[in-house]
Amino acid sequence: MNAPATTELPVVVIGAGPAGLAAAAHLLDQGIEPLVLEAGQTAGAAVREWAHVRLFSTWGEVVDPAAEKLLAPTGWTRPDPATYPSGGDWADLYLQPLADVLGDRARYGARVTGVSRSGRDRIVDADREQQPFVVHLTHADGRDERIFARAVIDASGTWTTPSPAGGNGLPALGEKAAADRITYRVPDLKNPAVRARYAGTRTAVIGSGASAFTALAYLADLAKSDDGAGTKGVWILRRGISGSTFGGGEADQLPARGALGLAAKAAVDEGHADAVTGFRTEAIEHDADGRLVLVGEDGRRLDPVDEVIVLTGFRPDLSFLDELRLGLDERLQAPVALAPLIDPNQHSCGTVYPHGHRELSHPEQGVYLVGMKSYGRAPTFLAMTGYEQVRSVAAAIAGDLEAADKVELTLPETGVCGGAGLFDAPDAPDAAQADGGGCCAPAPQLVQLGAPTAVGAAAEQAPAGGCCGS
């Protein structure tokens, strides 16, 4: 079967999440037909898995302009832009209506298993760029299908590939054997069955980002409730405690994100969680009673815990892109030109330089990784970043390089400099000194974990949680 002419083909968008659906909207705005392939059974399938978590971005920051334009004729109106949606709100009130407008342009239960050039594996040079892309997918019923595309936008995210507990990037010894006591998601403690699992238990939380803050705050709330007596968190940090550990606090330009860090600090200050610093997990063992014992690379053995929540970030699944010629940074697994702009070893503030199709391009012309997946293993991605990415990419595919190159992006700062490159250094110097000077605020200072000062009020006003992917 000969492939059809490239110009007659749709642009395949992998993933019906926030970035993927926005990409489809921008492609339509450029007069290009998109075809969205989603492995889940609904739009925003991954977002729905953290439906109970509230974003730290407002509605005004998580609705794409082209998507809103596409929704307008349906009578859709954006919720109050100053309010904070939960993951469930985002999926039900925005992502699903947007997918409904796309109609047959969005297919569900369609898992992409491979992408290549028609008739060309990654070795072959001859006429490579003249060949359309070929996308292999498997449907929920097991049926395989092949689709040709003029370009491919991979917005599949990183949700399905969480990072393990091991401090070296590999699963800790015994981690797989303890799978029944480990979760890699923020638990929904409003779910009675989940709540019963954690109530009255000693739970280790491994991680230092917004998801870890959320889990600590949730466990603290459970500990203070009538049915949660005895609930205790053990916060496992690979670094030490400094002024940047809890984020920007009141200086954060995303107030809910700052309040989330303050809520985590309150959990420690009020005794609902103990912080264990400088601990890199090497093994997870069972004691005589079946409880879990975390063993560090330095030989430390922590007191037994009942449950472990691993929130050490995510990583991209690149397996189905293996026949494409991608240019990825060797550390972050992000596009080579984008990596220096987001590298946590170098950047200590919550701002990202404006970037678009050029930074997202690869040696294989016509393929783009966007959204959370474009960041590879780097943290702190925001939805508004993805929306600007796909606007630029859609314009580039349409041939409007002037619009594609005019990238404008202003992100809220964290309010502190806390270089994540010091993540594994428990006794590291101030981040501002380490990277040559501060850029947002005075250098972080060590904090005393004593009685909280003005933390409780800020935490009480905070939304219920936070989300790295917002």
Side-chain angles (χ1 to χ4, degrees), residues 282-313:
E282 182 176 78
I284 300 176
E285 301 176 354
H286 287 81
D287 70 2
D289 297 324
R291 302 177 79 197
L292 302 181
V293 177
L294 273 61
V295 182
E297 292 179 358
D298 57 4
R300 277 186 289 168
R301 301 174 64 88
L302 304 185
D303 291 339
V305 297
D306 302 288
E307 300 282 346
V308 178
I309 302 173
V310 180
L311 300 168
T312 53

PDB file of all heavy atoms in Angstrom, residues 282-313:
ATOM      1  N   GLU A 282      18.191   3.033  49.222  1.00  0.00           N
ATOM      2  CA  GLU A 282      18.880   1.969  48.500  1.00  0.00           C
ATOM      3  C   GLU A 282      18.071   0.682  48.485  1.00  0.00           C
ATOM      4  O   GLU A 282      18.103  -0.077  47.524  1.00  0.00           O
ATOM      5  CB  GLU A 282      20.245   1.702  49.130  1.00  0.00           C
ATOM      6  CG  GLU A 282      21.053   0.637  48.402  1.00  0.00           C
ATOM      7  CD  GLU A 282      22.436   0.471  48.993  1.00  0.00           C
ATOM      8  OE1 GLU A 282      22.545  -0.173  50.059  1.00  0.00           O
ATOM      9  OE2 GLU A 282      23.391   0.999  48.391  1.00  0.00           O
ATOM     10  N   ALA A 283      17.340   0.428  49.572  1.00  0.00           N
ATOM     11  CA  ALA A 283      16.580  -0.820  49.672  1.00  0.00           C
ATOM     12  C   ALA A 283      15.319  -0.599  50.493  1.00  0.00           C
ATOM     13  O   ALA A 283      15.254   0.297  51.340  1.00  0.00           O
ATOM     14  CB  ALA A 283      17.435  -1.915  50.300  1.00  0.00           C
ATOM     15  N   ILE A 284      14.319  -1.412  50.215  1.00  0.00           N
ATOM     16  CA  ILE A 284      13.089  -1.444  50.998  1.00  0.00           C
ATOM     17  C   ILE A 284      12.898  -2.885  51.440  1.00  0.00           C
ATOM     18  O   ILE A 284      12.708  -3.783  50.618  1.00  0.00           O
ATOM     19  CB  ILE A 284      11.882  -0.954  50.182  1.00  0.00           C
ATOM     20  CG1 ILE A 284      12.099   0.493  49.716  1.00  0.00           C
ATOM     21  CG2 ILE A 284      10.599  -1.061  51.011  1.00  0.00           C
ATOM     22  CD1 ILE A 284      10.993   1.036  48.825  1.00  0.00           C
ATOM     23  N   GLU A 285      12.995  -3.100  52.739  1.00  0.00           N
ATOM     24  CA  GLU A 285      12.934  -4.448  53.292  1.00  0.00           C
ATOM     25  C   GLU A 285      11.678  -4.629  54.141  1.00  0.00           C
ATOM     26  O   GLU A 285      11.058  -3.654  54.562  1.00  0.00           O
ATOM     27  CB  GLU A 285      14.184  -4.722  54.134  1.00  0.00           C
ATOM     28  CG  GLU A 285      15.483  -4.594  53.352  1.00  0.00           C
ATOM     29  CD  GLU A 285      16.712  -4.778  54.221  1.00  0.00           C
ATOM     30  OE1 GLU A 285      16.544  -4.889  55.467  1.00  0.00           O
ATOM     31  OE2 GLU A 285      17.834  -4.813  53.679  1.00  0.00           O
ATOM     32  N   HIS A 286      11.322  -5.873  54.403  1.00  0.00           N
ATOM     33  CA  HIS A 286      10.221  -6.192  55.301  1.00  0.00           C
ATOM     34  C   HIS A 286      10.782  -6.604  56.651  1.00  0.00           C
ATOM     35  O   HIS A 286      11.765  -7.370  56.719  1.00  0.00           O
ATOM     36  CB  HIS A 286       9.377  -7.342  54.746  1.00  0.00           C
ATOM     37  CG  HIS A 286       8.527  -6.961  53.571  1.00  0.00           C
ATOM     38  ND1 HIS A 286       9.017  -6.879  52.288  1.00  0.00           N
ATOM     39  CD2 HIS A 286       7.211  -6.643  53.503  1.00  0.00           C
ATOM     40  CE1 HIS A 286       8.038  -6.520  51.462  1.00  0.00           C
ATOM     41  NE2 HIS A 286       6.939  -6.378  52.169  1.00  0.00           N
ATOM     42  N   ASP A 287      10.180  -6.113  57.739  1.00  0.00           N
ATOM     43  CA  ASP A 287      10.612  -6.591  59.047  1.00  0.00           C
ATOM     44  C   ASP A 287       9.794  -7.826  59.428  1.00  0.00           C
ATOM     45  O   ASP A 287       8.984  -8.327  58.633  1.00  0.00           O
ATOM     46  CB  ASP A 287      10.507  -5.483  60.100  1.00  0.00           C
ATOM     47  CG  ASP A 287       9.072  -5.109  60.464  1.00  0.00           C
ATOM     48  OD1 ASP A 287       8.121  -5.732  59.927  1.00  0.00           O
ATOM     49  OD2 ASP A 287       8.893  -4.195  61.303  1.00  0.00           O
ATOM     50  N   ALA A 288       9.991  -8.323  60.648  1.00  0.00           N
ATOM     51  CA  ALA A 288       9.331  -9.558  61.072  1.00  0.00           C
ATOM     52  C   ALA A 288       7.814  -9.423  61.094  1.00  0.00           C
ATOM     53  O   ALA A 288       7.088 -10.420  60.953  1.00  0.00           O
ATOM     54  CB  ALA A 288       9.846  -9.968  62.449  1.00  0.00           C
ATOM     55  N   ASP A 289       7.321  -8.201  61.261  1.00  0.00           N
ATOM     56  CA  ASP A 289       5.874  -7.970  61.301  1.00  0.00           C
ATOM     57  C   ASP A 289       5.297  -7.628  59.934  1.00  0.00           C
ATOM     58  O   ASP A 289       4.113  -7.307  59.818  1.00  0.00           O
ATOM     59  CB  ASP A 289       5.559  -6.839  62.287  1.00  0.00           C
ATOM     60  CG  ASP A 289       5.964  -7.188  63.706  1.00  0.00           C
ATOM     61  OD1 ASP A 289       5.832  -8.371  64.082  1.00  0.00           O
ATOM     62  OD2 ASP A 289       6.429  -6.278  64.430  1.00  0.00           O
ATOM     63  N   GLY A 290       6.128  -7.629  58.903  1.00  0.00           N
ATOM     64  CA  GLY A 290       5.654  -7.331  57.562  1.00  0.00           C
ATOM     65  C   GLY A 290       5.658  -5.856  57.222  1.00  0.00           C
ATOM     66  O   GLY A 290       5.257  -5.470  56.126  1.00  0.00           O
ATOM     67  N   ARG A 291       6.115  -5.011  58.149  1.00  0.00           N
ATOM     68  CA  ARG A 291       6.205  -3.579  57.868  1.00  0.00           C
ATOM     69  C   ARG A 291       7.448  -3.309  57.020  1.00  0.00           C
ATOM     70  O   ARG A 291       8.318  -4.173  56.875  1.00  0.00           O
ATOM     71  CB  ARG A 291       6.233  -2.776  59.165  1.00  0.00           C
ATOM     72  CG  ARG A 291       5.011  -3.028  60.055  1.00  0.00           C
ATOM     73  CD  ARG A 291       5.132  -2.267  61.352  1.00  0.00           C
ATOM     74  NE  ARG A 291       4.794  -0.862  61.181  1.00  0.00           N
ATOM     75  CZ  ARG A 291       5.124   0.090  62.060  1.00  0.00           C
ATOM     76  NH1 ARG A 291       5.845  -0.207  63.136  1.00  0.00           N
ATOM     77  NH2 ARG A 291       4.765   1.353  61.845  1.00  0.00           N
ATOM     78  N   LEU A 292       7.522  -2.112  56.461  1.00  0.00           N
ATOM     79  CA  LEU A 292       8.610  -1.780  55.545  1.00  0.00           C
ATOM     80  C   LEU A 292       9.700  -0.990  56.241  1.00  0.00           C
ATOM     81  O   LEU A 292       9.419  -0.050  57.003  1.00  0.00           O
ATOM     82  CB  LEU A 292       8.072  -0.982  54.359  1.00  0.00           C
ATOM     83  CG  LEU A 292       6.966  -1.661  53.536  1.00  0.00           C
ATOM     84  CD1 LEU A 292       6.543  -0.768  52.370  1.00  0.00           C
ATOM     85  CD2 LEU A 292       7.425  -3.016  53.028  1.00  0.00           C
ATOM     86  N   VAL A 293      10.934  -1.339  55.946  1.00  0.00           N
ATOM     87  CA  VAL A 293      12.095  -0.642  56.493  1.00  0.00           C
ATOM     88  C   VAL A 293      12.888  -0.060  55.334  1.00  0.00           C
ATOM     89  O   VAL A 293      13.331  -0.790  54.441  1.00  0.00           O
ATOM     90  CB  VAL A 293      12.985  -1.600  57.304  1.00  0.00           C
ATOM     91  CG1 VAL A 293      14.237  -0.866  57.794  1.00  0.00           C
ATOM     92  CG2 VAL A 293      12.211  -2.177  58.490  1.00  0.00           C
ATOM     93  N   LEU A 294      13.039   1.257  55.335  1.00  0.00           N
ATOM     94  CA  LEU A 294      13.825   1.925  54.296  1.00  0.00           C
ATOM     95  C   LEU A 294      15.291   1.956  54.718  1.00  0.00           C
ATOM     96  O   LEU A 294      15.613   2.356  55.845  1.00  0.00           O
ATOM     97  CB  LEU A 294      13.318   3.347  54.067  1.00  0.00           C
ATOM     98  CG  LEU A 294      12.174   3.523  53.053  1.00  0.00           C
ATOM     99  CD1 LEU A 294      10.931   2.747  53.486  1.00  0.00           C
ATOM    100  CD2 LEU A 294      11.822   4.993  52.875  1.00  0.00           C
ATOM    101  N   VAL A 295      16.146   1.524  53.802  1.00  0.00           N
ATOM    102  CA  VAL A 295      17.579   1.485  54.056  1.00  0.00           C
ATOM    103  C   VAL A 295      18.261   2.475  53.121  1.00  0.00           C
ATOM    104  O   VAL A 295      18.019   2.469  51.910  1.00  0.00           O
ATOM    105  CB  VAL A 295      18.144   0.071  53.824  1.00  0.00           C
ATOM    106  CG1 VAL A 295      19.631   0.032  54.143  1.00  0.00           C
ATOM    107  CG2 VAL A 295      17.373  -0.959  54.650  1.00  0.00           C
ATOM    108  N   GLY A 296      19.109   3.339  53.673  1.00  0.00           N
ATOM    109  CA  GLY A 296      19.774   4.357  52.882  1.00  0.00           C
ATOM    110  C   GLY A 296      21.101   3.893  52.328  1.00  0.00           C
ATOM    111  O   GLY A 296      21.680   2.895  52.785  1.00  0.00           O
ATOM    112  N   GLU A 297      21.606   4.627  51.343  1.00  0.00           N
ATOM    113  CA  GLU A 297      22.903   4.296  50.768  1.00  0.00           C
ATOM    114  C   GLU A 297      24.027   4.399  51.791  1.00  0.00           C
ATOM    115  O   GLU A 297      25.083   3.766  51.637  1.00  0.00           O
ATOM    116  CB  GLU A 297      23.195   5.225  49.576  1.00  0.00           C
ATOM    117  CG  GLU A 297      22.288   4.989  48.388  1.00  0.00           C
ATOM    118  CD  GLU A 297      22.576   5.936  47.240  1.00  0.00           C
ATOM    119  OE1 GLU A 297      23.473   6.802  47.396  1.00  0.00           O
ATOM    120  OE2 GLU A 297      21.923   5.817  46.188  1.00  0.00           O
ATOM    121  N   ASP A 298      23.807   5.201  52.848  1.00  0.00           N
ATOM    122  CA  ASP A 298      24.823   5.363  53.890  1.00  0.00           C
ATOM    123  C   ASP A 298      24.678   4.335  54.996  1.00  0.00           C
ATOM    124  O   ASP A 298      25.358   4.408  56.013  1.00  0.00           O
ATOM    125  CB  ASP A 298      24.754   6.776  54.470  1.00  0.00           C
ATOM    126  CG  ASP A 298      23.374   7.120  55.039  1.00  0.00           C
ATOM    127  OD1 ASP A 298      22.488   6.222  55.051  1.00  0.00           O
ATOM    128  OD2 ASP A 298      23.177   8.271  55.468  1.00  0.00           O
ATOM    129  N   GLY A 299      23.771   3.375  54.813  1.00  0.00           N
ATOM    130  CA  GLY A 299      23.600   2.309  55.793  1.00  0.00           C
ATOM    131  C   GLY A 299      22.532   2.573  56.832  1.00  0.00           C
ATOM    132  O   GLY A 299      22.202   1.666  57.625  1.00  0.00           O
ATOM    133  N   ARG A 300      21.988   3.787  56.890  1.00  0.00           N
ATOM    134  CA  ARG A 300      20.939   4.071  57.863  1.00  0.00           C
ATOM    135  C   ARG A 300      19.707   3.223  57.603  1.00  0.00           C
ATOM    136  O   ARG A 300      19.307   3.030  56.459  1.00  0.00           O
ATOM    137  CB  ARG A 300      20.553   5.547  57.817  1.00  0.00           C
ATOM    138  CG  ARG A 300      21.470   6.453  58.613  1.00  0.00           C
ATOM    139  CD  ARG A 300      20.927   7.878  58.641  1.00  0.00           C
ATOM    140  NE  ARG A 300      21.045   8.545  57.347  1.00  0.00           N
ATOM    141  CZ  ARG A 300      20.454   9.697  57.050  1.00  0.00           C
ATOM    142  NH1 ARG A 300      19.667  10.290  57.942  1.00  0.00           N
ATOM    143  NH2 ARG A 300      20.644  10.252  55.868  1.00  0.00           N
ATOM    144  N   ARG A 301      19.097   2.760  58.673  1.00  0.00           N
ATOM    145  CA  ARG A 301      17.852   1.998  58.597  1.00  0.00           C
ATOM    146  C   ARG A 301      16.805   2.774  59.386  1.00  0.00           C
ATOM    147  O   ARG A 301      16.962   3.009  60.587  1.00  0.00           O
ATOM    148  CB  ARG A 301      18.019   0.594  59.173  1.00  0.00           C
ATOM    149  CG  ARG A 301      19.085  -0.245  58.466  1.00  0.00           C
ATOM    150  CD  ARG A 301      19.308  -1.573  59.180  1.00  0.00           C
ATOM    151  NE  ARG A 301      18.105  -2.391  59.133  1.00  0.00           N
ATOM    152  CZ  ARG A 301      17.811  -3.226  58.139  1.00  0.00           C
ATOM    153  NH1 ARG A 301      18.651  -3.348  57.106  1.00  0.00           N
ATOM    154  NH2 ARG A 301      16.721  -3.951  58.156  1.00  0.00           N
ATOM    155  N   LEU A 302      15.734   3.180  58.724  1.00  0.00           N
ATOM    156  CA  LEU A 302      14.702   3.960  59.386  1.00  0.00           C
ATOM    157  C   LEU A 302      13.743   3.051  60.140  1.00  0.00           C
ATOM    158  O   LEU A 302      13.630   1.853  59.857  1.00  0.00           O
ATOM    159  CB  LEU A 302      13.936   4.792  58.357  1.00  0.00           C
ATOM    160  CG  LEU A 302      14.773   5.739  57.487  1.00  0.00           C
ATOM    161  CD1 LEU A 302      13.863   6.580  56.611  1.00  0.00           C
ATOM    162  CD2 LEU A 302      15.670   6.626  58.343  1.00  0.00           C
ATOM    163  N   ASP A 303      13.056   3.633  61.100  1.00  0.00           N
ATOM    164  CA  ASP A 303      12.040   2.873  61.818  1.00  0.00           C
ATOM    165  C   ASP A 303      10.976   2.387  60.836  1.00  0.00           C
ATOM    166  O   ASP A 303      10.687   3.069  59.834  1.00  0.00           O
ATOM    167  CB  ASP A 303      11.388   3.736  62.892  1.00  0.00           C
ATOM    168  CG  ASP A 303      12.344   4.051  64.045  1.00  0.00           C
ATOM    169  OD1 ASP A 303      13.329   3.296  64.214  1.00  0.00           O
ATOM    170  OD2 ASP A 303      12.107   5.052  64.754  1.00  0.00           O
ATOM    171  N   PRO A 304      10.381   1.234  61.080  1.00  0.00           N
ATOM    172  CA  PRO A 304       9.416   0.658  60.130  1.00  0.00           C
ATOM    173  C   PRO A 304       8.235   1.586  59.838  1.00  0.00           C
ATOM    174  O   PRO A 304       7.799   2.360  60.704  1.00  0.00           O
ATOM    175  CB  PRO A 304       8.949  -0.619  60.841  1.00  0.00           C
ATOM    176  CG  PRO A 304      10.049  -0.956  61.783  1.00  0.00           C
ATOM    177  CD  PRO A 304      10.590   0.356  62.239  1.00  0.00           C
ATOM    178  N   VAL A 305       7.759   1.494  58.615  1.00  0.00           N
ATOM    179  CA  VAL A 305       6.560   2.226  58.193  1.00  0.00           C
ATOM    180  C   VAL A 305       5.549   1.231  57.633  1.00  0.00           C
ATOM    181  O   VAL A 305       5.903   0.111  57.253  1.00  0.00           O
ATOM    182  CB  VAL A 305       6.879   3.306  57.136  1.00  0.00           C
ATOM    183  CG1 VAL A 305       7.809   4.366  57.712  1.00  0.00           C
ATOM    184  CG2 VAL A 305       7.479   2.677  55.886  1.00  0.00           C
ATOM    185  N   ASP A 306       4.300   1.660  57.597  1.00  0.00           N
ATOM    186  CA  ASP A 306       3.241   0.799  57.064  1.00  0.00           C
ATOM    187  C   ASP A 306       3.052   0.986  55.566  1.00  0.00           C
ATOM    188  O   ASP A 306       2.696   0.049  54.853  1.00  0.00           O
ATOM    189  CB  ASP A 306       1.921   1.104  57.782  1.00  0.00           C
ATOM    190  CG  ASP A 306       2.032   0.916  59.276  1.00  0.00           C
ATOM    191  OD1 ASP A 306       2.123  -0.238  59.724  1.00  0.00           O
ATOM    192  OD2 ASP A 306       2.066   1.948  59.988  1.00  0.00           O
ATOM    193  N   GLU A 307       3.250   2.213  55.090  1.00  0.00           N
ATOM    194  CA  GLU A 307       3.020   2.552  53.690  1.00  0.00           C
ATOM    195  C   GLU A 307       4.131   3.472  53.192  1.00  0.00           C
ATOM    196  O   GLU A 307       4.768   4.178  53.996  1.00  0.00           O
ATOM    197  CB  GLU A 307       1.662   3.256  53.497  1.00  0.00           C
ATOM    198  CG  GLU A 307       0.453   2.443  53.929  1.00  0.00           C
ATOM    199  CD  GLU A 307       0.075   1.392  52.908  1.00  0.00           C
ATOM    200  OE1 GLU A 307       0.567   1.466  51.764  1.00  0.00           O
ATOM    201  OE2 GLU A 307      -0.730   0.501  53.251  1.00  0.00           O
ATOM    202  N   VAL A 308       4.332   3.482  51.886  1.00  0.00           N
ATOM    203  CA  VAL A 308       5.304   4.389  51.272  1.00  0.00           C
ATOM    204  C   VAL A 308       4.639   5.095  50.091  1.00  0.00           C
ATOM    205  O   VAL A 308       4.004   4.443  49.251  1.00  0.00           O
ATOM    206  CB  VAL A 308       6.563   3.637  50.784  1.00  0.00           C
ATOM    207  CG1 VAL A 308       7.528   4.611  50.096  1.00  0.00           C
ATOM    208  CG2 VAL A 308       7.256   2.929  51.934  1.00  0.00           C
ATOM    209  N   ILE A 309       4.759   6.407  50.047  1.00  0.00           N
ATOM    210  CA  ILE A 309       4.276   7.198  48.920  1.00  0.00           C
ATOM    211  C   ILE A 309       5.506   7.761  48.217  1.00  0.00           C
ATOM    212  O   ILE A 309       6.236   8.578  48.781  1.00  0.00           O
ATOM    213  CB  ILE A 309       3.355   8.346  49.381  1.00  0.00           C
ATOM    214  CG1 ILE A 309       2.161   7.792  50.175  1.00  0.00           C
ATOM    215  CG2 ILE A 309       2.864   9.155  48.191  1.00  0.00           C
ATOM    216  CD1 ILE A 309       1.301   8.880  50.807  1.00  0.00           C
ATOM    217  N   VAL A 310       5.758   7.310  46.999  1.00  0.00           N
ATOM    218  CA  VAL A 310       6.933   7.725  46.239  1.00  0.00           C
ATOM    219  C   VAL A 310       6.530   8.827  45.264  1.00  0.00           C
ATOM    220  O   VAL A 310       5.744   8.597  44.343  1.00  0.00           O
ATOM    221  CB  VAL A 310       7.556   6.534  45.481  1.00  0.00           C
ATOM    222  CG1 VAL A 310       8.780   6.994  44.690  1.00  0.00           C
ATOM    223  CG2 VAL A 310       7.935   5.425  46.452  1.00  0.00           C
ATOM    224  N   LEU A 311       7.062  10.018  45.462  1.00  0.00           N
ATOM    225  CA  LEU A 311       6.723  11.179  44.628  1.00  0.00           C
ATOM    226  C   LEU A 311       8.022  11.849  44.191  1.00  0.00           C
ATOM    227  O   LEU A 311       8.312  12.986  44.524  1.00  0.00           O
ATOM    228  CB  LEU A 311       5.829  12.144  45.412  1.00  0.00           C
ATOM    229  CG  LEU A 311       4.497  11.532  45.882  1.00  0.00           C
ATOM    230  CD1 LEU A 311       3.797  12.443  46.883  1.00  0.00           C
ATOM    231  CD2 LEU A 311       3.589  11.234  44.701  1.00  0.00           C
ATOM    232  N   THR A 312       8.803  11.098  43.429  1.00  0.00           N
ATOM    233  CA  THR A 312      10.140  11.538  43.015  1.00  0.00           C
ATOM    234  C   THR A 312      10.170  12.048  41.585  1.00  0.00           C
ATOM    235  O   THR A 312      11.246  12.161  40.983  1.00  0.00           O
ATOM    236  CB  THR A 312      11.134  10.384  43.178  1.00  0.00           C
ATOM    237  OG1 THR A 312      10.628   9.226  42.495  1.00  0.00           O
ATOM    238  CG2 THR A 312      11.336  10.039  44.648  1.00  0.00           C
ATOM    239  N   GLY A 313       9.015  12.363  41.033  1.00  0.00           N
ATOM    240  CA  GLY A 313       8.965  12.902  39.685  1.00  0.00           C
ATOM    241  C   GLY A 313       8.563  11.858  38.660  1.00  0.00           C
ATOM    242  O   GLY A 313       8.180  10.731  38.989  1.00  0.00           O
TER     243      GLY A 313
END
